Structures are given as C-alpha cells and as structure tokens.
Amino acid sequence: IMLKVAQAKEEYPGTKSFIFNHKLNSQPGQFVMIWLPGLGEKPMSIAADNQDTFQITISGVGPFSKAMQEVKEQDIIGIRGPLGTHFNLKGNTIALVGGGYGAGPMAFLAEKAVFAQYKPQNIHFILGARTKDLLLFEKRMRTIGVNIHITTDDGSQGKQGRVTDALKEIIEDVDMIYCVGPEMMERAVYDL
C-alpha cells in the first residue's frame, strides 16, 4: 500500500524515525518492505506499533537508506507487510539487548512486555552504541519504567564497553534473553 509519512523525526544526524497513521497490526520482531520509486524495496524493522500508528527508524548507511533520509512529512512511500515471525514473551525476568539499530525492535518488544496481559516481573533493557550521540530510544524506555542499562564503546554514557558487559552483570537472574543487533554482537550474546 502507499502511505503518507505522518511524521519524520531526526533521532540524530543520519538517522530518522518515520511514523505512519495506519493500522499495521504487527508484532515485535516483524518487519516491513519499504518501496521507493526508482530504488526498489528494502526490509526495515518495525520500531513501534500503537494500534493506529506504526514507526520505522532508519539510519542512512547505503543508497536506499540514505535516500530515506530525504523523505519528508507528507511524502508517500510504499509499504508491504508486516512480514516475518515475531517474538513470544516468556520468563519472569527478561533481558532485551539492542545494539545500534537493534534498539528499534527491542523497544517495541519492551513496550509490548510492559503493557501485555502477561507481564514479566522484571524487564531489563540493555542498550549499546558507539557513543552517547548514537543511542536510540533511551528516553522512551525510561518513560515506560523498564530497568535500563546503557553501554557505549567510548564511555560517553553509561558503562564503557559492550552490551555483553552489562548482560554479564544480570545474566544469573535472567530467564530469557531477546537480542537484535549486528551479527557479531548477537554471537557474543549467544556465546555468553
């Protein structure tokens, strides 16, 4: 379907969130295919779905995602989805590990966990980035009251180090770990 961008918000230079007024009915972990005329389509994670609106957050790293940085409010783009499988909430104490752009689907899952009929007793949101200027959704997560753990490679906010450093501190108390991020980060979480 072709949808008008209701809101285009810069998260930090080179990364934007796009909000659409549309009932997508997606679940955390699913994605949509985004179509731009002349450039084709690419899969993008869903960062939020609030019944009547949904959000995607895109960082400009390649030709397609850089073109998305030029999309403005009221522009129309193609959306196909939701596609893919989704996370199932399990465990009383869960850790949600989001590295870089993986923060989008993890933030969506955190909100689902907080407001779900089945609610875990403890929700740890581990957010990592190279520097504090590249952290996504910290304020959003503080607003919903999850236990937030921040790591930055340069130590500019939170603990200096990787998301696995924060995970090591709580892993003994965690029943289930959910993770989205770069493959190397996911492998490190798996190995831990």
Side-chain angles (χ1 to χ4, degrees):
I1 59 172
M2 301 303 289
L3 290 177
K4 188 182 290 186
V5 176
Q7 185 179 358
K9 179 178 99 170
E10 185 175 69
E11 298 289 350
Y12 52 78
T15 298
K16 273 187 178 177
S17 287
F18 301 92
I19 297 172
F20 300 89
N21 294 327
H22 178 75
K23 196 176 196 92
L24 188 63
N25 293 319
S26 68
Q27 295 293 321
Q30 291 187 296
F31 66 96
V32 292
M33 296 298 289
I34 298 192
W35 177 71
L36 290 176
L39 289 175
E41 65 179 355
K42 294 280 184 188
M44 298 290 168
S45 295
I46 299 163
D49 188 335
N50 301 316
Q51 297 179 334
D52 294 326
T53 66
F54 73 93
Q55 172 184 324
I56 54 172
T57 301
I58 300 173
S59 186
V61 294
F64 187 93
S65 56
K66 284 180 181 175
M68 280 298 297
Q69 300 306 303
E70 303 303 316
V71 171
K72 306 175 295 307
E73 291 177 9
Q74 305 303 310
D75 285 354
I76 296 174
I77 64 173
I79 301 283
R80 187 164 54 94
L83 303 168
T85 58
H86 58 85
F87 294 109
N88 292 310
L89 284 171
K90 297 177 185 175
N92 288 320
T93 299
I94 64 172
L96 310 176
V97 184
Y101 317 124
M106 289 293 92
F108 184 12
L109 183 59
E111 289 168 338
K112 175 96 172 178
V114 166
F115 300 112
Q117 190 171 15
Y118 159 74
K119 179 180 176 180
Q121 292 176 351
N122 291 303
I123 302 167
H124 296 276
F125 189 87
I126 302 173
L127 179 61
R130 289 189 312 271
T131 178
K132 70 178 183 176
D133 298 329
L134 302 178
L135 289 167
L136 283 170
F137 310 127
E138 176 190 1
K139 185 176 179 182
R140 179 175 156 193
M141 291 299 96
R142 290 198 190 284
T143 301
I144 64 171
V146 299
N147 302 309
I148 189 163
H149 309 267
I150 294 175
T151 65
T152 51
D153 293 353
D154 66 359
S156 56
Q157 188 165 339
K159 289 188 168 232
Q160 183 172 8
R162 310 264 182 203
V163 292
T164 49
D165 297 327
L167 183 58
K168 283 178 190 173
E169 295 179 4
I170 62 168
I171 198 163
E172 295 300 322
D173 300 323
V174 171
D175 301 321
M176 183 66 73
I177 299 170
Y178 300 87
C179 178
V180 176
E183 188 175 345
M184 287 178 61
M185 184 209 82
E186 289 182 346
R187 179 59 197 234
V189 169
Y190 175 80
D191 289 344
L192 180 62

